[in-house]
Amino acid sequence: MSTSSGRATGTAPSGGTGIRLHAPAPGWALEADVVVVGSGVAGLTAALRCAAAGRRTVVVTKARLDDGSTRWAQGGIAAALGEGDTPGQHLDDTLVAGAGLCDETAVRMLVTEGPDAVRRLIATGAVFDTSPDTGEIELTREGGHHRRRIAHAGGDATGAEISRALVEAVHAAGIETVENALVLDLLQDAEGRTAGVTLHVMGEGQHDGVGAVHAPAVVLATGGMGQVFSATTNPAVSTGDGVALALRAGAEVSDLEFVQFHPTVLFLGPDAEGQQPLVSEAVRGEGAHLVDADGVRFMVGAHELAELAPRDIVAKGIMRRMREQGAEHMYLDARHFGADMWENRFPTILAACRAHGIDPVTQPIPVAPAAHYASGGVRTDLDGRTTVPGLYACGEVACTGVHGANRLASNSLLEGLVFAERIAADIAAHPPASAGPGIPVPSRGPLLPATARFEVQRIMTRGAGVLRSADSLREAADALDALYASALYDLEVHGKTAEPGVDTWEATNLMCVARVLVAAARRREETRGCHWREDRPERDDAAWRRHLVVRLSRTEHRALVVTETETADFPSVRHPLSQEQ
């Protein structure tokens, strides 16, 4: 893989990379002021706030409106809502979890604005669990939190309730939506400003096939990239499309090496692939114990919070015990909860376990870490602006600086909520200048065949999973390069590439984000947060308390430009329009 390096200066790219996915020309078009790509908590909140500010808003989503990652969130949303809790305490817990790489200004904004953002979510229609005695929101505790500050709905169905409320609000507001649509590329004018997106609608309806939404503001809220690994808690739609689109448009991404592996995912066998059932951290928050096959609680003594340590520490603890014992999984023991608690507090998890032949009322649950959350993504400022004029990002696709090297449990829904509101406020206060219709850019580089998806997943799981080393990462980079080189040879020598379609576009996007992740993980020669280098087991603040920023080269074919920030602070993201107005 070709890379170049240097120090990040913070200046925005002057235009896109010229790289686009092979796709037919758009056969239909919509006009809007804002197009929001994604329908989780971040996307729908941004759409509702933009529409309320009078902006013509179109929501584009890859599946149905309620099929994003938000609906799968079992845990909850963290905010300092309880008596005795403060934003300052929430700040402290977030900074500790982030292992020295959080942007403290971004975190302070998140925890300060978070409580009112949650209250506005409730006003939108979300119903959280309340105490039968006081009527107040019933708050629970999860890993890394020193206080009970996690608001839940339906016991372990928080995401589903938030999704329901926001989808109903979007319908009530009459916001135009395009479902079952895979976003392809960003449209840009001659100056590199955002002019909308191209997309492909799967199936028949009012719009079908490749089309375009023309808009001077695009909000990426496409979720994660968990499908880059074989086993993940992410839904099948999480193929890194937003990060890949942003890279092709010339945007910078950061911290992609920090992929959080959830410690307690239901173990379905060593060859299990695709979306795996999550056993929420809230189960440990209520007192479940991690044990080995002999019933020994191996996290006791390993950290002051034992099973409630930050996720990277728990995942590492599980992996170490598995290696010591030659085991494929550990166990989560919550038999002491009893049937009533399981049925009332964790009905979704109980049903999932029983569907796979495990009854947690009478049996410990086999668990192992699996890819869960990308702490990094498209680099933004405090208002969600990227380094491409008119392009915004929020939610898991974004890197706001909030999560640092490891996300604190249940901060993700809050981040999506708060930054979506800030994006909408920025668009309302500073409407992006109207761009042209977008300059057609010919495709460069091949489409990968659909089968490459599974090859990429296996390469990444083997070489860039929970445990990484210089050797494993080099092997992953070489294997990814060979896979890409084969497709490139077919294109350049035989004039052939894979047939454009959802499967090949997704495989190509996964290859793009895999290359960036591996390049960053190879460069970061230390262990920090959820990036665990077996050959570099210590955290090295002197050399590595800084961020890696990656972009695609505009001049060198398929090269990644990897730069390091001078400090743990991000270089500023310029206001997209400040130089042009």
Side-chain angles (χ1 to χ4, degrees):
M1 177 176 59
S2 178
T3 61
S4 58
S5 63
R7 295 289 184 181
T9 63
T11 58
S14 60
T17 63
I19 302 172
R20 293 292 183 268
L21 293 174
H22 288 267
W28 54 272
L30 299 174
E31 302 294 327
D33 297 320
V34 184
V35 55
V36 177
V37 186
S39 59
V41 63
L44 295 187
T45 299
L48 285 166
R49 300 294 183 266
C50 286
R55 301 293 179 262
R56 291 178 302 163
T57 303
V58 173
V59 175
V60 172
T61 188
K62 194 172 179 181
R64 295 188 62 80
L65 213 53
D66 62 350
D67 275 348
S69 294
T70 291
R71 65 172 286 204
W72 297 100
Q74 295 174 345
I77 186 166
L81 297 166
E83 184 177 354
D85 197 7
T86 65
Q89 294 175 65
H90 192 180
L91 171 85
D92 291 343
D93 286 345
T94 301
L95 295 179
V96 169
L101 281 187
C102 294
D103 181 321
E104 186 168 341
T105 302
V107 177
R108 191 174 301 280
M109 186 200 75
L110 177 82
V111 300
T112 302
E113 297 181 9
D116 282 343
V118 172
R119 294 183 185 103
R120 284 188 289 273
L121 179 61
I122 293 169
T124 302
V127 179
F128 291 96
D129 295 343
T130 57
S131 167
D133 299 323
T134 66
E136 298 294 321
I137 294 176
E138 202 160 38
L139 300 172
T140 62
R141 189 174 162 206
E142 293 181 359
H145 294 272
H146 282 79
R147 283 193 174 271
R148 288 182 170 264
R149 66 168 65 98
I150 316 300
H152 289 269
D156 58 0
T158 309
E161 169 58 18
I162 290 173
S163 182
R164 178 206 61 78
L166 292 174
V167 168
E168 288 186 5
V170 164
H171 286 320
I175 296 172
E176 185 168 4
T177 62
V178 182
E179 295 181 307
N180 301 310
L182 170 64
V183 67
L184 300 177
D185 279 301
L186 192 72
L187 290 169
Q188 294 171 275
D189 69 8
E191 285 73 45
R193 295 180 301 181
T194 293
V197 293
T198 56
L199 63 157
H200 173 77
V201 178
M202 299 164 268
E204 297 182 0
Q206 184 179 359
H207 309 291
D208 60 348
V210 175
V213 182
H214 300 294
V218 170
V219 180
L220 291 179
T222 52
M225 56 182 197
Q227 290 291 328
V228 78
F229 295 97
S230 295
T232 176
T233 63
N234 288 193
V237 295
S238 298
T239 51
D241 308 318
V243 171
L245 173 150
L247 282 163
R248 290 192 294 269
E252 295 177 348
V253 303
S254 188
D255 297 356
L256 227 60
E257 68 270 34
F258 296 116
V259 176
Q260 187 176 81
F261 286 76
H262 198 288
T264 54
V265 176
L266 183 62
F267 181 75
L268 300 181
D271 299 321
E273 294 183 334
Q275 186 177 8
Q276 310 292 300
L278 175 67
V279 183
S280 170
E281 192 149 335
V283 177
R284 280 175 282 135
E286 295 295 344
H289 303 144
L290 279 166
V291 298
D292 60 20
D294 297 321
V296 177
R297 288 182 63 189
F298 55 87
M299 286 304 299
V300 174
H303 189 275
E304 60 164 335
L305 295 176
E307 285 92 353
L308 286 177
R311 287 178 178 171
D312 63 308
I313 293 171
V314 179
K316 291 170 188 174
I318 292 173
M319 294 298 296
R320 285 193 184 101
R321 196 63 156 199
M322 286 165 54
R323 284 197 304 180
E324 289 169 3
Q325 300 188 342
E328 293 180 326
H329 61 81
M330 291 287 110
Y331 293 93
L332 187 64
D333 193 351
R335 290 175 289 181
H336 56 285
F337 284 6
D340 286 347
M341 183 171 176
W342 268 110
E343 290 166 4
N344 293 308
R345 179 68 177 86
F346 301 111
T348 307
I349 299 170
L350 177 63
C353 289
R354 285 177 170 169
H356 291 283
I358 303 294
D359 187 349
V361 177
T362 60
Q363 299 170 272
I365 306 167
V367 294
H372 183 57
Y373 189 89
S375 294
V378 185
R379 190 167 76 83
T380 77
D381 67 4
L382 296 181
D383 292 311
R385 298 176 292 205
T386 76
T387 50
V388 173
L391 180 65
Y392 296 79
C394 56
E396 191 173 353
V397 70
C399 184
T400 63
V402 160
H403 303 309
N406 183 47
R407 174 180 66 101
L408 181 66
S410 289
N411 267 0
S412 51
L413 291 175
L414 189 71
E415 182 201 30
L417 189 63
V418 168
F419 277 84
E421 290 190 340
R422 294 187 68 87
I423 286 172
D426 190 72
I427 291 173
H430 310 286
S434 180
I439 307 300
V441 177
S443 301
R444 286 200 294 135
L447 282 180
L448 271 69
T451 54
R453 175 181 184 136
F454 304 103
E455 294 181 65
V456 169
Q457 290 172 335
R458 288 161 192 158
I459 290 167
M460 294 298 289
T461 298
R462 185 169 57 247
V466 180
L467 302 179
R468 302 167 179 174
S469 67
D471 289 343
S472 76
L473 291 166
R474 184 187 66 253
E475 290 170 2
D478 290 346
L480 291 172
D481 273 359
L483 191 58
Y484 185 91
S486 175
L488 187 64
Y489 178 84
D490 286 342
L491 177 65
E492 294 184 341
V493 176
H494 301 296
K496 297 179 179 179
T497 192
E499 187 72 21
V502 173
D503 290 345
T504 56
W505 291 322
E506 286 185 335
T508 304
N509 285 339
L510 284 171
M511 170 63 82
C512 179
V513 297
R515 288 180 60 220
V516 175
L517 193 162
V518 169
R522 294 183 77 183
R523 179 71 70 86
R524 183 171 291 280
E525 296 181 337
E526 65 160 353
T527 289
R528 180 185 298 271
C530 50
H531 172 65
W532 189 8
R533 285 281 298 261
E534 293 182 279
D535 55 328
R536 303 280 184 167
E538 302 301 322
R539 172 169 154 175
D540 184 355
D541 279 351
W544 288 108
R545 192 164 179 257
R546 61 189 67 202
H547 301 272
L548 293 174
V549 178
V550 185
R551 62 178 174 84
L552 290 181
S553 172
R554 295 194 302 273
T555 56
E556 188 179 347
H557 187 51
R558 57 188 288 263
L560 298 176
V561 181
V562 185
T563 55
E564 300 168 16
T565 60
E566 296 286 354
T567 67
D569 297 326
F570 272 148
S572 63
V573 174
R574 299 187 311 188
H575 188 298
L577 303 175
S578 60
Q579 276 75 35
E580 297 154 11
Q581 291 180 325

